[in-house]
């Protein structure tokens, strides 16, 4: 059923406070937080992560989750050097137009698109060689 009213995406502390979650909330949040937030007219910015947390909780033990959360993610932020970006497993980009027009973002975008193109070429080669066998 379609929504009757629009919701907005927010990571504002005052919206989270409506649900009893402070900025330094010590525990993981889960999908129920997203569902409760929707009743207040917003969708948490990190909703995907809260659904992921639910999946982890369903299929992994507490010890497994703790090990998973302690893994290095090789995070890189918007302003870091391109070389760090190439080695990262996690990279926060932004949707803001001024950032998307900067050389650093355009270089990162070109790099990721080239990786996709290389992957598609490799898949095509594998597909051709499999069908000719």
């Amino acid at each position: 059923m379609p929504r009757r009213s629009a919701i907005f995406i927010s990571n504002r502390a005052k919206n989270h406070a409506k649900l009893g979650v402070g900025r330094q909330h010590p525990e993981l949040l889960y999908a129920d937080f997203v569902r409760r937030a929707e009743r207040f007219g917003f969708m948490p910015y990190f909703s995907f992560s809260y659904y992921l947390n639910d999946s982890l909780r369903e299929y992994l033990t507490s010890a497994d989750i703790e090990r998973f959360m302690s893994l290095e993610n090789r995070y890189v932020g918007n302003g870091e050097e391109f070389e760090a970006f190439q080695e990262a497993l996690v990279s926060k980009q932004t949707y803001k137009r001024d950032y998307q027009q900067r050389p650093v973002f355009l270089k990162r975008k070109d790099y990721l698109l080239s990786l996709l193109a290389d992957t598609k070429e490799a898949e095509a080669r594998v597909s051709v060689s499999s069908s000719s066998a």
Side-chain angles (χ1 to χ4, degrees), residues 95-110:
Y95 58 88
K96 295 179 181 175
R97 186 169 307 281
D98 68 323
Y99 177 71
Q100 292 179 358
Q101 295 170 347
R102 291 183 195 164
V104 65
F105 175 80
L106 295 173
K107 187 173 181 179
R108 289 175 178 194
K109 179 181 173 184
D110 287 345

Side-chain angles (χ1 to χ4, degrees), residues 14-113:
K14 75 176 190 176
N15 287 326
H16 288 205
K18 294 175 186 175
L19 301 170
V21 173
R23 201 169 267 299
Q24 299 302 318
H25 191 71
E27 300 163 15
L28 293 175
L29 295 173
Y30 299 95
D32 64 319
F33 181 72
V34 177
R35 289 188 285 276
R36 288 186 301 134
E38 193 169 357
R39 285 188 240 131
F40 283 89
F42 77 98
M43 177 71 63
Y45 184 79
F46 297 110
S47 295
F48 176 79
S49 298
Y50 305 150
Y51 285 106
L52 174 64
N53 291 343
D54 260 11
S55 296
L56 293 175
R57 183 170 61 176
E58 185 173 341
Y59 296 104
L60 300 177
T61 66
S62 297
D64 289 337
I65 292 171
E66 192 172 321
R67 273 194 305 280
F68 175 76
M69 293 298 182
S70 69
L71 291 173
E72 178 186 9
N73 65 18
R74 295 198 323 243
Y75 171 85
V76 66
N78 290 345
E80 295 183 50
E81 296 294 325
F82 182 73
E83 291 72 23
F85 173 78
Q86 288 178 295
E87 297 298 319
L89 298 177
V90 177
S91 173
K92 180 185 184 313
Q93 300 301 300
T94 184
Y95 58 88
K96 295 179 181 175
R97 186 169 307 281
D98 68 323
Y99 177 71
Q100 292 179 358
Q101 295 170 347
R102 291 183 195 164
V104 65
F105 175 80
L106 295 173
K107 187 173 181 179
R108 289 175 178 194
K109 179 181 173 184
D110 287 345
Y111 174 73
L112 292 174
L113 290 174

